[in-house]
Amino acid sequence: MADARVRSAPVSGTSSVLQPPADAVKPVRHPDAPAPGELLGAHYGQCFGCGGEQPHGLHLEARAGEEVSVTAAFTVRPAHQGAPGLAHGGVLASALDETLGSLNWLLRTIAVTGRLETDFVQPVPVDTTLHLEAEVTAVAGRKIYSTATGRIGGPVGPVAVRADALFVEVEIDHFIDHGRPEEIRAVMEDPDQVRRARAFEVNP
């Protein structure tokens, strides 16, 4: 029978891919990045993670933190269940991914998730608010290394989930070449320049 015990060791260091190389540098917050405490808002209305147009989405709200960090929160709804009364693990991973992806707005870089390693420390019940924190730890060329935690019972409550991630900087052509034409066309024809640019901010 498979071992069903919850892992409790830190995620960091579990994969060599997530270890920054020796020539990695400290991340630099872009001078035009939102001020600490500022709500970042949804980058795309149809985004499952942050979009307001997704009825069963996470509706995650992220705020800029100090240096290259963000905080976020989302409340687990019945539509997010896996086991009865508990959040689905994939939904929790999505919340971590969305929060980590929001960091790229502080770098003013378009990037996509290259690798995400998640630790599920304890169950998260329905109607619980997950408080998330994420920060960029290093940058090496096009690679952006970051880490995140999700806590229950408050921003300083016990850790329920955590993750390390590698994001890779891409050009906007990445989305145009691979996205469904209907959505790409609608975004490119949006007269709001900021909304048009932010739609391609991150692709978890």
Side-chain angles (χ1 to χ4, degrees), residues 18 21 28 31 33 43-44 47-48 65 90 94-95 102 108 113 123 131-132 148 155 162 171 175 179 204:
L18 296 176
V28 177
H43 75 92
Y44 176 48
C47 174
F48 176 78
S94 294
S102 298
R108 301 305 288 269
T113 312
H131 300 269
L132 299 125
R162 52 194 171 207
E171 299 294 333
F175 304 95

Side-chain angles (χ1 to χ4, degrees), residues 22-115:
D23 60 351
V25 299
K26 182 180 179 180
V28 177
R29 185 190 187 96
H30 194 281
D32 294 331
E38 185 175 336
L39 187 66
L40 299 184
H43 75 92
Y44 176 48
Q46 289 292 338
C47 174
F48 176 78
C50 65
E53 298 170 25
Q54 285 285 355
H56 299 304
L58 305 184
H59 300 162
L60 186 144
E61 294 187 338
R63 292 184 181 274
E66 300 292 336
E67 298 183 345
V68 189
S69 71
V70 298
T71 59
F74 98 96
T75 300
V76 179
R77 301 301 183 196
H80 303 144
Q81 291 180 88
L86 296 175
H88 191 290
V91 168
L92 298 177
S94 294
L96 289 162
D97 192 26
E98 184 69 25
T99 304
L100 289 157
S102 298
L103 292 166
N104 297 315
W105 189 238
L106 303 184
L107 299 173
R108 301 305 288 269
T109 297
I110 299 174
V112 296
T113 312
R115 189 177 185 92

Side-chain angles (χ1 to χ4, degrees), residues 71-74 128-133 149-158 161:
T71 59
F74 98 96
T128 297
T129 296
L130 190 67
H131 300 269
L132 299 125
E133 293 180 287
T149 57
R151 299 173 181 270
I152 56 177
V156 295
V161 291

Side-chain angles (χ1 to χ4, degrees), residues 100-185:
L100 289 157
S102 298
L103 292 166
N104 297 315
W105 189 238
L106 303 184
L107 299 173
R108 301 305 288 269
T109 297
I110 299 174
V112 296
T113 312
R115 189 177 185 92
L116 178 71
E117 292 193 8
T118 306
D119 222 358
F120 300 97
V121 181
Q122 62 177 298
V124 180
V126 170
D127 290 334
T128 297
T129 296
L130 190 67
H131 300 269
L132 299 125
E133 293 180 287
E135 65 175 334
V136 177
T137 57
V139 176
R142 295 172 54 221
K143 296 181 177 180
I144 302 166
Y145 298 84
S146 52
T147 188
T149 57
R151 299 173 181 270
I152 56 177
V156 295
V159 172
V161 291
R162 52 194 171 207
D164 285 342
L166 169 63
F167 279 73
V168 181
E169 183 179 357
V170 297
E171 299 294 333
I172 197 169
D173 288 349
H174 169 87
F175 304 95
I176 295 173
D177 293 344
H178 300 288
R180 193 169 70 163
E182 294 93 317
E183 280 80 7
I184 298 297
R185 190 180 307 112

